[in-house]
Amino acid sequence: MAEIDRMLEANERWAESFPGSKPVRPGRKVAVVACMDSRIPLFGVLGLEIGDAHVIRNAGGVITEDVIRSLTISQHALGTREIVLVHHTECGLQSTDDISFADAVEAATGRRPPWAARAFTDVDQDVRESMRLIRESPYLLSREVRGTVFDVTTGRLREVQEA
Ligand SMILES: [Zn+2]
């Protein structure tokens, strides 16, 4: 069975207890930028309910031009002010480096990606780099950002202190 079929079936049951529509503006005025990792159930991890927060995810939870686009919309159009970062232990981006990854993509497809994978080794440094990029963005109304690392073994969230 294709995954989409299992998902459509699961949704039938899940929607029975769906609470209904909420305001489009996130109730807790917060945007979360997190890694796409399959082991981080963000709503549970952060105690979020439907309608509480924007959630922006990508590989690594890194700050890209498109993340800035989403955060800018989140703040200017939809009223969020705080930004929370969630990176994590055992990230897939720690198992490669930008050059090796681009080499592998080029070897497999004949095309070298114009973007960097944004691999890293030190997760705390990676969180600090993301906080720096947010603070440097000229488009945001609020640069109130704090960063965390989620431990995929314990389920615990640890705040990263500024260097
Ligand atoms: Zn990750």
Side-chain angles (χ1 to χ4, degrees):
M1 187 193 275
E3 286 304 319
I4 177 71
D5 294 321
R6 292 174 62 182
M7 290 171 180
L8 288 167
E9 246 180 61
N11 176 260
E12 285 287 325
R13 295 185 292 280
W14 181 81
E16 284 167 13
S17 56
F18 191 71
S21 184
K22 304 268 187 188
V24 65
R25 297 166 80 87
R28 288 169 60 176
K29 297 183 171 26
V30 59
V32 179
V33 181
C35 183
M36 68 184 186
D37 194 280
S38 67
R39 300 162 295 179
I40 314 173
L42 273 180
F43 276 61
V45 168
L46 301 175
L48 294 171
E49 302 289 340
I50 294 163
D52 277 351
H54 281 147
V55 175
I56 303 158
R57 301 188 76 159
N58 65 25
V62 298
I63 306 304
T64 61
E65 186 169 308
D66 193 65
V67 169
I68 292 294
R69 179 186 71 89
S70 294
L71 287 172
T72 303
I73 292 165
S74 178
Q75 293 196 352
H76 287 259
L78 296 164
T80 67
R81 289 297 178 268
E82 281 185 55
I83 300 167
V84 174
L85 310 178
V86 182
H87 295 205
H88 66 99
T89 60
E90 296 174 26
C91 186
L93 281 179
Q94 287 171 303
S95 62
T96 185
D97 64 76
D98 290 356
I99 303 291
S100 305
F101 184 75
D103 287 346
V105 172
E106 189 174 13
T109 68
R111 296 291 295 271
R112 193 168 190 86
W115 31 261
R118 311 272 289 265
F120 61 91
T121 48
D122 181 330
V123 68
D124 285 41
Q125 266 314 112
D126 195 54
V127 171
R128 289 191 195 103
E129 171 68 0
S130 290
M131 291 195 279
R132 186 183 69 77
L133 290 171
I134 283 170
R135 293 197 180 108
E136 279 187 358
S137 171
Y139 307 112
L140 300 175
L141 294 170
S142 165
R143 294 175 184 80
E144 198 180 321
V145 57
R146 286 165 69 177
T148 65
V149 174
F150 175 76
D151 186 321
V152 298
T153 302
T154 65
R156 292 191 186 279
L157 206 58
R158 170 175 64 79
E159 182 165 10
V160 172
Q161 302 305 324
E162 302 285 349

